Each structure stands twice: as C-alpha cells, then as structure tokens.
Amino acid sequence: MSGDNEHFTYCYGQLKHQQLMLECSARMEKYNAAFLRNMVNYSDKIVMDVGAGTGILSLFALQAGAKKVISVEASRMADYAKRLVQANGYENKCEVIQKKVENVCTEGHQVDVIVSEPIGFLLVHERMLESFVAARDKFLSPSKISRSSMVPNSATVHATLFTDPKLHGEQMNRASLWDSKNFYGVDLSCLKDDAEKENFSQVFIGNVDVDSLLSDQVSSHFIDFTSVSINEIQSFEIPLSVKVNKTGILHGLVCWFDVELIG
Ligand SMILES: C[S@@+](CC[C@H](N)C(=O)[O-])C[C@H]1O[C@@H](n2cnc3c(N)ncnc32)[C@H](O)[C@@H]1O
C-alpha cells in the first residue's frame, strides 16, 4: 500500500470526512434518484458496493429491493457501516467486508450489479476508478455485464482553453515572497522564476466561469466502465482540437467531467 493510500484510508475512516460526502446534496440526490428510478435493476439482485464508506449506497440498493448487498470498505469506516446497516434492519441482507476490494476473495462473492462512488478530482484522482473496474473483472461474470450492471456506467472528461486574468494574477502573487532582496538580510530573488514555474506547473482545482472559455468547442474522452481496462484508466490522452472564437490571453487548459449514473 502506498503512503497516499494509507493517508486516504486514514481520512476515510473518520466520520467527519464521510459526513462531507453525505452533506454534498448534489451528489446524494443524483445517486438516490439513480437507485429509485431504476429499482428494477436492483430488485432481487446481488449487489456489490465498492468503497462503501458509511454504506449509504448499500442501503439505497437495499431500499431499491436488492436481495443481498456485499459492502466492501477498506477503512475502519466498515465498522460504522455495519452499525448503520443493523440499525436500519438490513443485517440479514448485507455483508460488510473491511478490505480493499482487490483483496476480497471471489468465492461466494459473484454479483449481478456493482455500485460505487469512485469519483476523484478530474475523475481519476485517488485512483478509485481502477478498484471499481478491478471489481468488475473479479466479481461480475462477462455474461452479466451491461449498462445497468455498473453504476456509474460511464464518464466523459472534457478539455478546452480559458482566459482568467484574475486567477493568473493570484497565482503570480503566490510567488511574490521570492521578489524579496532583503529577507532578514538575504536576497531571495534568484529563486523567483523557479517559484513561479512551480506554482504554474501545479493543477488548480476550483470553479472556472463559463465566460472565461476561449472556445465554444471542447475535446472529450469517453470512458465506458463496462468495458474500459485498468491500463486505459491509468493513462489516456485527449488530443486538443478546438477553434478559438474569443479574444483573450490564453492562461490555461480547463478540464471537467460528466458521470452517467443511470443504466
Ligand atoms: C468517495 S468515498 C465513497 C463512500 C460511499 N460510497 C459514499 O458514496 O458516501 C470512497 C470510499 O471507498 C473506500 N475505498 C477506496 N479504495 C478502496 C478499495 N480499493 N477497496 C475498498 N474500499 C476502498 C474509501 O475508504 C472510502 O470510504
């Protein structure tokens, strides 16, 4: 397990981090609607919840009529998930396993549907999509793979060009310390260019106003979770081909994504 993984597992083991996700109403409403509108996909089915956290999606699947749910959670949050499952009266229909899904044995764990919320920044950060796809290859027989057996079932990453003088100025200012020629008697300024380069080489995560886009075209990359391989998630290219139709200084590349939940 890498240091990053250990850090994520430690954070996800805390209720306060799970609470942030449960309080994200846009996320919760979309997922809840996906279960309630597609009850036929869950009714009498065996469902695996990959990265179950508190078990909220497992409980949605049970509410939607699942026959059995296998909730797999790597962190100690699995204990809390067990308590929630029990308190909601589903202990006979739900098996909570505290393990990385990659380490769960296949015997007795073949399923009809896999659900997950494996979405990180720019979709792929945290690398949980890889675990979602690994679970498909391990626990879903090829004859059962369909649009409704992987939830979410696809995602599209988009990229285009943008201008944002304010954001650019803020990034420039972050390196202003290095302008100092007399920092407690020390001249720091020979490092200014490197500090700036370091800032601009990092990804900025935040909102970009639609008015700042320099083109009304985007380049997109579609990922079908029913068929994508782990290698294709670990490395993919989005050749950028857009026609700039607005005047402005090009400050960067903006990327975002859509996720399709409904089978
Ligand atoms: C984004 S949270 C989603 C939690 C919950 N499904 C929800 O929607 O509120 C992802 C969860 O997956 C767990 N996780 C990440 N990688 C995992 C893996 N390979 N196997 C099992 N659990 C994993 C994390 O510990 C975390 O609780």
Side-chain angles (χ1 to χ4, degrees):
M1 215 185 221
S2 74
D4 258 6
N5 262 336
E6 277 168 28
H7 173 70
F8 282 130
T9 307
Y10 171 73
C11 290
Y12 279 132
Q14 298 181 320
L15 283 168
K16 68 178 178 188
H17 286 284
Q18 299 286 338
Q19 182 177 334
L20 288 176
M21 293 184 282
L22 298 182
E23 284 175 343
C24 176
S25 54
R27 185 188 90 106
M28 293 314 304
E29 279 162 23
K30 294 276 183 311
Y31 264 95
N32 191 237
F35 283 91
L36 296 180
R37 291 202 194 128
N38 294 287
M39 287 177 78
V40 67
N41 290 342
Y42 303 98
S43 178
D44 241 12
K45 297 279 169 57
I46 303 178
V47 178
M48 177 174 280
D49 180 2
V50 175
T54 53
I56 192 72
L57 303 185
S58 303
L59 289 160
F60 287 173
L62 289 159
Q63 287 170 348
K67 177 163 70 182
K68 181 183 174 187
V69 175
I70 302 163
S71 312
V72 186
E73 168 56 39
S75 77
R76 67 189 184 96
M77 188 52 51
D79 285 337
Y80 291 112
K82 268 184 209 160
R83 280 168 58 186
L84 276 187
V85 165
Q86 198 167 16
N88 284 274
Y90 286 113
E91 65 274 25
N92 294 333
K93 289 187 163 189
C94 187
E95 177 186 1
V96 180
I97 302 175
Q98 183 180 351
K99 270 187 186 168
K100 287 190 80 184
V101 74
E102 292 83 350
N103 298 333
V104 174
C105 68
T106 47
E107 206 184 310
H109 291 135
Q110 290 304 301
V111 301
D112 303 305
V113 180
I114 298 184
V115 301
S116 190
E117 196 278 73
I119 305 163
F121 291 127
L122 193 54
L123 187 67
V124 291
H125 184 63
E126 292 184 33
R127 305 187 58 177
M128 229 197 112
L129 278 179
E130 292 165 44
S131 302
F132 181 46
V133 165
R136 178 200 68 200
D137 293 343
K138 231 175 139 178
F139 303 107
L140 205 54
S141 93
S143 64
K144 289 194 172 166
I145 297 177
S146 69
R147 273 172 61 77
S148 52
S149 63
M150 289 290 282
V151 181
N153 55 56
S154 65
T156 311
V157 183
H158 307 282
T160 194
L161 305 172
F162 81 112
T163 182
D164 192 334
K166 187 166 169 275
L167 179 62
H168 183 258
E170 283 166 11
Q171 295 297 100
M172 293 290 278
N173 281 341
R174 284 177 58 201
S176 60
L177 168 81
W178 303 97
D179 279 328
S180 183
K181 292 201 181 297
N182 185 6
F183 181 77
Y184 301 97
V186 176
D187 182 352
L188 299 178
S189 60
C190 71
L191 300 184
K192 172 71 191 279
D193 286 352
D194 292 274
E196 245 172 37
K197 267 188 213 144
E198 199 177 285
N199 281 344
F200 281 98
S201 67
Q202 279 160 18
V203 172
F204 171 78
I205 298 165
N207 294 328
V208 170
D209 196 323
V210 82
D211 288 339
S212 67
L213 303 186
L214 287 172
S215 172
D216 52 18
Q217 298 177 340
V218 297
S219 290
S220 300
H221 178 72
F222 179 73
I223 302 174
D224 181 346
F225 298 133
T226 66
S227 57
V228 71
S229 69
I230 292 180
N231 286 345
E232 286 165 340
I233 293 174
Q234 286 171 338
S235 170
F236 57 85
E237 291 182 8
I238 309 180
L240 188 71
S241 172
V242 296
K243 193 169 173 184
V244 171
N245 53 4
K246 191 171 155 185
T247 307
I249 296 172
L250 169 59
H251 285 125
L253 181 69
V254 56
C255 299
W256 68 98
F257 62 91
D258 298 315
V259 172
E260 195 184 23
L261 283 175
I262 297 164

